[in-house]
Amino acid sequence: MTVAQQSLISPTANPELEKALRDRVDRRSAIAGGLGELEPLAVRLGLVQKSLTPRFRDPVLALFAADHGIVVDGVGAQWGRATKDQVQMALHAQLPVSVFARLQGLHLTVVDCGVAENLPPHARLLARKVAHGTRNARTAHAMSLDQAHAGVRVGMEIADNLPGNVLACAGLGQGSAECAALILSRLADQPVRDFVVSGPAMRQDDLVHLLDVLHGALARHREAREPMDLLAAFGGHELAVMVGAMLVAASKRSLIIVDGIAACAALKLASLICAPVTDYAVFCRSHVHRGLDEALALFHASALLELGMDSADGTGAALAWPMIRSAAALLTELHEVAEARLTARPEAGADLPTLGA
């Protein structure tokens, strides 16, 4: 992203507008009662759009799909399904995220950023393959710097052509979460273990093997610190594409819905390129993985909904969308109540309506 393009991402901080938004929300609460977390969310949405009446149109839920070479070391085989099979299931309404997105009016798109196999054409498939998967980050750079930059440009082009002003981002593919954990571990200077322990039920031998592979990758790329260097070292064509998409979405004052650890890693990388991008993000989750708790903590954020799911990334975004729309409706659809109506009382002797009148 060029310096000129970075300058287009404006921080959402606007004390005068924030006060007006809070006053607007408070007036509704005084009349109809408080609505808890919907109220600060409504204010956030107004700041994102720089408007007292934020309105969202043509929301897109994008699943960014890619294969990762690190899987050859026996890690990241999510649900035992190949990435191409996960893509086909998403496209043919065989995953809950597909059904929920349709029910909630989200346009589901699967972006082929780097699936190893060629995929048959489909109306909801966006073919933007940077390469046929990445190399194994434990033994080599997952991708070249040129490929990392190409992925970011692909994402920028995708977001630039979006018709609406909402982009929900989620990663899809075997090894995606593990590559994201490597990047977050390096950026946060935290043990990679923090980002990969799923919970108390995780098998110890699985964890030992996973950490052995990931520590090998981290050791091989000790010098990688800058965003593009990290993308090249640890890979994930879907991460590179998400980075570009998030940067341009923010430059257009679009709302970015971040679901899952891969999307968190992409947002963290994007924030190192242009910090205000995080102002435009809200967070969702589709599973209770402890590593995602650590990822969200890096943004001092929590998920909009905590439903105890263990589903594919993107599911949480589809379910949170009605909540986001409802928060916006507090500012746009809920009519002001004339104060005179609240205080008016029938005059003495005035005729009152009776039952059946």
Side-chain angles (χ1 to χ4, degrees):
M1 195 176 197
T2 67
V3 174
Q5 288 169 314
Q6 288 182 39
S7 67
L8 296 177
I9 304 181
S10 303
T12 60
N14 185 328
E16 186 176 347
L17 174 60
E18 183 172 354
K19 183 180 185 305
L21 286 164
R22 291 190 185 282
D23 289 346
R24 194 176 180 89
V25 169
D26 288 345
R27 286 198 301 273
R28 284 146 173 74
S29 298
I31 293 166
L35 288 168
E37 293 302 316
L38 281 186
E39 295 178 5
L41 178 57
V43 173
R44 282 283 313 279
L45 300 178
L47 291 172
V48 163
Q49 288 202 357
K50 201 175 181 180
S51 170
L52 283 171
T53 55
R55 297 184 185 277
F56 297 101
R57 65 185 190 282
D58 300 322
V60 170
L61 170 52
L63 305 180
F64 295 85
D67 274 302
H68 305 78
I70 203 166
V71 173
V72 302
D73 279 335
V75 302
Q78 190 178 36
W79 298 308
R81 299 186 187 278
T83 302
K84 66 172 182 177
D85 294 333
Q86 295 179 42
V87 168
Q88 292 301 320
M89 291 175 71
L91 292 173
H92 293 94
Q94 294 171 326
L95 293 178
V97 60
S98 310
V99 176
F100 296 158
R102 176 176 55 80
L103 288 174
Q104 307 303 343
L106 286 157
H107 181 82
L108 179 73
T109 298
V110 180
V111 184
D112 177 5
C113 309
V115 179
E117 294 88 352
N118 289 321
L119 298 169
H122 190 281
R124 293 190 180 276
L125 177 65
L126 196 57
R128 293 293 187 274
K129 199 188 297 286
V130 178
H132 292 264
T134 60
R135 293 182 291 273
N136 186 351
R138 187 182 61 81
T139 59
H141 275 74
M143 66 177 90
S144 68
L145 268 175
D146 284 346
Q147 288 174 328
H149 283 284
V152 173
R153 287 195 299 270
V154 166
M156 295 173 74
E157 176 257 327
I158 289 172
D160 198 40
N161 289 315
L162 287 179
N165 57 3
V166 180
L167 176 62
C169 297
L172 186 155
Q174 291 188 338
S176 179
E178 289 72 22
C179 289
L182 287 169
I183 288 173
L184 291 174
S185 170
R186 180 60 53 82
L187 290 176
D189 197 23
Q190 285 182 230
V192 70
R193 177 191 178 99
D194 293 352
F195 297 98
V196 297
V197 173
S198 59
M202 188 174 189
R203 290 177 41 164
Q204 188 63 24
D205 53 347
D206 290 343
L207 177 59
V208 169
H209 174 66
L210 174 59
L211 290 177
D212 184 55
V213 173
L214 298 184
H215 286 151
L218 288 168
R220 184 171 187 87
H221 306 289
R222 289 187 185 90
E223 305 307 315
R225 296 284 173 181
E226 297 302 314
M228 302 311 295
D229 292 334
L230 285 169
L231 277 172
F234 300 121
H237 293 303
E238 83 289 2
L239 296 179
V241 176
M242 272 195 277
V243 167
M246 289 173 174
L247 287 169
V248 169
S251 75
K252 296 168 64 177
R253 301 197 80 96
S254 294
L255 179 69
I256 304 168
I257 304 174
V258 177
D259 188 349
I261 194 166
C264 284
L267 181 65
K268 195 66 180 175
L269 289 168
S271 73
L272 295 179
I273 297 171
C274 193
V277 66
T278 57
D279 289 3
Y280 295 85
V282 295
F283 297 84
C284 304
R285 69 185 308 159
S286 301
H287 47 77
V288 294
H289 197 292
R290 283 186 180 175
L292 184 55
D293 294 337
E294 296 293 332
L296 291 172
L298 298 180
F299 300 97
H300 307 288
S302 58
L304 293 177
L305 297 174
E306 295 276 355
L307 299 176
M309 296 187 295
D310 186 20
S311 189
D313 286 348
T315 310
L319 293 173
W321 177 237
M323 178 181 177
I324 295 169
R325 291 182 61 199
S326 297
L330 291 180
L331 298 168
T332 60
E333 307 297 331
L334 194 62
H335 298 300
E336 298 279 3
V337 177
E339 197 64 30
R341 291 184 183 177
L342 294 179
T343 57
R345 293 289 185 273
E347 295 180 6
D351 292 333
L352 296 175
T354 59
L355 290 176

